[in-house]
Amino acid sequence: TEREVTIADIANEKTSRDKQLSWGVIIDISEPFNYQNEDRWIVKLKVIDPTFNFKEYISNREIKFHKFVTIHLYADSIQSCPKVKNVGDIIRLRRFNFVLSDNGELI
């Protein structure tokens, strides 16, 4: 069974970054784009929750940037890209994998 975790839980615990279930608030949305003419489209979302935003403290020192987490959503065509209506919408993050980038950002 899946266990709900916060984004801060994911950031602080290295072993809990695969196939997670969490919720967040969308604070920014990119237009769909095609990266290097591949057969997939990408939409980037910036997401926060009550535990992972510019006001919160993250104990993991490897996390250098914690104002938001960047979510990459992949689709086979521009028509099948997710449609986010408004900044402030709630997103359910189910079975997501998170990684820590070289510059200390959780993506």
Side-chain angles (χ1 to χ4, degrees):
T1 66
E2 292 177 317
R3 177 180 74 88
E4 280 190 36
V5 295
T6 66
I7 297 175
D9 293 337
I10 296 165
N12 287 320
E13 183 55 52
K14 291 179 186 179
T15 60
S16 73
R17 293 191 182 145
D18 292 335
K19 305 286 189 267
Q20 292 301 323
L21 171 62
S22 190
W23 298 85
V25 177
I26 299 169
I27 61 169
D28 193 31
I29 311 150
S30 77
E31 291 294 322
F33 64 94
N34 183 267
Y35 183 70
Q36 296 181 347
N37 295 323
E38 291 184 12
D39 290 335
R40 64 181 178 179
W41 290 81
I42 303 168
V43 175
K44 288 185 182 181
L45 305 177
K46 293 178 183 176
V47 175
I48 60 171
D49 78 0
T51 68
F52 198 87
N53 58 66
F54 74 97
K55 291 184 176 182
E56 296 302 317
Y57 173 77
I58 302 298
S59 61
N60 182 351
R61 294 193 185 278
E62 292 180 332
I63 303 288
K64 307 272 190 272
F65 181 85
H66 67 276
K67 293 181 180 179
F68 54 82
V69 62
T70 302
I71 307 292
H72 297 92
L73 302 173
Y74 299 94
D76 293 332
S77 69
I78 195 166
Q79 293 81 13
S80 62
C81 287
K83 315 281 188 287
V84 178
K85 292 187 178 185
N86 299 301
V87 168
D89 283 353
I90 305 294
I91 185 170
R92 179 181 181 207
L93 303 171
R94 183 170 183 250
R95 299 189 67 193
F96 269 72
N97 296 323
F98 292 89
V99 296
L100 190 61
S101 71
D102 292 338
N103 63 351
E105 181 180 357
L106 189 65
I107 55 175

